[in-house]
Amino acid sequence: MTMKMKMKMSVVCAVVVVALFLIDVGPVAEAVTCNPTELSSCVPAITGGSKPSSTCCSKLKVQEPCLCNYIKNPSLKQYVNSPGAKKVLSNCGVTYPNC
């Protein structure tokens, strides 16, 4: 086997290994439509201190990738940064984002 053939064989093996790795990464994350009104079910818990509903928690988990955008929005920042919102995030098992 010539040096050139060995080099080609190595490249082919590397490509196959990378392809197998990429196949096994699992499902691609679905894009989330960021819509703060989706979190309206959380308002009573955020403003009144009540326990968040299961609907609130499920919506928070879906909207979790959007939280940094909400924090950066001057109209929403005060709500997302409030102690009530942080408590709801914690109660729902959603980590407060580090933006």
Side-chain angles (χ1 to χ4, degrees):
M1 202 181 268
T2 68
M3 184 66 153
K4 193 173 182 180
M5 287 181 73
K6 286 181 182 180
M7 182 75 84
K8 284 182 181 180
M9 193 78 122
S10 295
V11 170
V12 168
C13 287
V15 169
V16 169
V17 168
V18 169
L20 289 173
F21 173 74
L22 291 175
I23 290 170
D24 195 34
V25 294
V28 176
E30 291 183 31
V32 175
T33 301
C34 294
N35 183 355
T37 60
E38 288 290 315
L39 301 176
S40 61
S41 60
C42 297
V43 171
I46 292 170
T47 60
S50 60
K51 183 179 177 188
S53 66
S54 59
T55 301
C56 167
C57 289
S58 64
K59 296 281 187 176
L60 262 176
K61 289 175 184 172
V62 169
Q63 293 285 306
E64 186 174 6
C66 305
L67 293 177
C68 281
N69 289 337
Y70 298 159
I71 290 170
K72 293 173 186 174
N73 181 324
S75 302
L76 301 172
K77 182 178 184 173
Q78 64 183 347
Y79 302 108
V80 182
N81 283 332
S82 72
K86 290 178 181 179
K87 184 176 178 183
V88 169
L89 286 168
S90 176
N91 287 338
C92 291
V94 176
T95 305
Y96 186 81
N98 222 357
C99 308

